[in-house]
Amino acid sequence: MTPEGIANAVVSVLAAAGTLAGVTSRTRRRRNEIKENLALAEELQKNMILRDHTPAVAWLHGKIALDVAKLSGQPIGAPKKPIPKGSVVFASLLLVGFGGWTYWLNRDGFVWYSLVTGALAASMLISILGMTTNREIPSDAEGEVPEGAHPLGSGSASENAVASVAMSAMSSDGRFEDEGQLGVAFRFLRHMAAGEFDGALSLADENWLKCRIQSWLWNARALVGEDVAQLQATTDAMMASRRQHELWQAFSSAEVDAFQEAWGEIDPDRLGGASRRRRVGPDYDLVVLVPLGESGGYFVDSPTPVSGGMTFLMHKYDGKWLLANHLGIAPPLPGFPPTWWLVDDPSLEEFED
């Protein structure tokens, strides 16, 4: 082997060793960073302000998940537009042609008309760069969240992974489970939107049902009578006999129609629940459902008005969470008409100040 061949072999071996060392070093650094971030996440979990009022812990868990994905070789990254290979080849041929023409024109010295071919060659180069770089598909998430809110993900694979872990970290207290506060609210909404009155009724407390019956009787008093004592007796009879009562079918049909008219355009699968717990009294929690669009979730760090948001008051009774009010932030008060704590309740318009 010639000295030149030996030198080339040595260079190749050193280059391969350097590459391997670099990869190994990056892997080791990433492993160490994951370990350090896991320890930091445990420390952040102990800070009540950061844990309860910011998504800092969720962010860190999301970064850990992303680093683990990189470490294990999972494909991540923002979605990109495909490279138009035919256009790139055509532009490359024009670049070579106009570039060669420009060179030929200036072979004996600069001539001004070579600027035309040079400009055409430069435009082809810019076109190629435009087709092969910055191909990430922009996300519409920013335009779908309320003003002052920040999306957790942008639609890319990496940010969706972070958002998924972040949402799990912020909702790991059981409230999103089927029997949790938010889970019951979602199930009630789905039943009512689907016209399944009995299913929705199984998720509401007795006081809510009594007030719904009283509201219906009050609005139908021109047909059933205006005597309050008789209305109360009818309410008690309907509460006791339910389906066996002669007015139950009319009541349940009217309720389904009213809720479907109000909620018919709402898709429960495109709603999200506010992650912070809102306790308003012993065994009473307020939950908030908001439209997410394509954002996959967002967080707010200050009071933020949310268009299309829905609030539900949940009541823990006999170990189960039940709907207490779908309109106000306090349990409704029975009466004729009942008090729903709703501003500008139309049932109150005829009452004098």
Side-chain angles (χ1 to χ4, degrees):
M1 182 178 291
T2 64
E4 183 178 356
I6 295 174
N8 290 336
V10 170
V11 170
S12 299
V13 171
L14 291 177
T19 302
L20 179 62
V23 172
T24 304
S25 177
R26 285 197 300 272
T27 301
R28 185 182 299 111
R29 286 199 304 270
R30 184 162 286 139
R31 288 181 182 274
N32 291 335
E33 187 176 0
I34 291 172
K35 293 178 182 178
E36 292 173 357
N37 285 338
L38 284 172
L40 178 59
E42 293 182 3
E43 292 298 319
L44 290 177
Q45 194 68 33
K46 300 175 183 177
N47 188 303
M48 294 182 61
I49 295 178
L50 291 176
R51 183 190 64 200
D52 297 336
H53 300 285
T54 75
V57 179
W59 282 338
L60 190 56
H61 279 108
K63 184 182 187 310
I64 293 170
L66 192 57
D67 286 341
V68 172
K70 293 178 180 178
L71 189 65
S72 58
Q74 293 297 317
I76 54 175
K80 297 182 179 180
K81 296 180 291 186
I83 296 176
K85 297 180 180 179
S87 299
V88 170
V89 171
F90 182 70
S92 299
L93 292 175
L94 292 178
L95 171 63
V96 172
F98 286 119
W101 193 357
T102 303
Y103 174 77
W104 184 82
L105 291 174
N106 291 289
R107 67 189 184 281
D108 296 324
F110 175 74
V111 292
W112 67 267
Y113 46 84
S114 67
L115 293 175
V116 177
T117 56
L120 292 172
S123 65
M124 292 301 105
L125 178 61
I126 294 172
S127 175
I128 293 171
L129 292 175
M131 290 184 287
T132 56
T133 59
N134 295 327
R135 295 181 293 112
E136 289 79 8
I137 299 175
S139 170
D140 296 330
E142 287 286 355
E144 294 183 344
V145 300
E147 184 178 356
H150 311 278
L152 287 174
S154 66
S156 69
S158 57
E159 291 202 13
N160 282 344
V162 173
S164 176
V165 175
M167 294 298 288
S168 298
M170 290 190 288
S171 58
S172 58
D173 56 0
R175 292 183 302 116
F176 283 83
E177 300 294 332
D178 281 349
E179 300 302 326
Q181 299 95 306
L182 280 158
V184 172
F186 272 111
R187 289 164 59 201
F188 178 88
L189 177 60
R190 286 191 174 93
H191 282 307
M192 276 300 191
E196 299 166 352
F197 186 68
D198 289 342
L201 206 58
S202 67
L203 302 175
D205 67 12
E206 293 289 297
N207 184 65
W208 181 86
L209 175 58
K210 176 187 290 187
C211 291
R212 292 309 302 167
I213 293 175
Q214 289 180 331
S215 289
W216 179 74
L217 291 173
W218 178 257
N219 293 330
R221 62 190 183 279
L223 299 176
V224 299
E226 298 187 6
D227 182 69
V228 172
Q230 182 58 44
L231 292 176
Q232 184 58 55
T234 303
T235 300
D236 295 339
M238 292 180 68
M239 288 287 295
S241 55
R242 304 291 177 96
R243 280 183 168 275
Q244 282 66 45
H245 196 279
E246 59 182 356
L247 295 178
W248 185 265
Q249 182 60 43
F251 162 68
S252 60
S253 297
E255 288 292 279
V256 167
D257 291 342
F259 277 93
Q260 285 192 329
E261 182 179 355
W263 294 350
E265 300 299 322
I266 297 175
D267 183 359
D269 294 329
R270 299 179 71 84
L271 295 177
S275 59
R276 184 172 66 85
R277 185 177 183 184
R278 292 167 169 81
R279 304 184 70 176
V280 296
D283 295 325
Y284 283 96
D285 275 23
L286 191 71
V287 302
V288 181
L289 307 185
V290 295
L292 298 180
E294 301 296 332
S295 66
Y298 54 85
F299 71 91
V300 296
D301 48 19
S302 62
T304 302
V306 179
S307 177
M310 307 173 69
T311 58
F312 294 90
L313 181 68
M314 310 305 294
H315 179 206
K316 191 173 186 180
Y317 178 75
D318 198 21
K320 295 172 57 179
W321 284 102
L322 301 170
L323 178 85
N325 196 343
H326 65 289
L327 296 171
I329 62 173
L333 293 178
F336 290 98
T339 300
W340 290 98
W341 306 112
L342 175 66
V343 177
D344 296 328
D345 187 338
S347 298
L348 304 177
E349 292 180 356
E350 64 186 76
F351 285 87
E352 298 180 358
D353 292 337

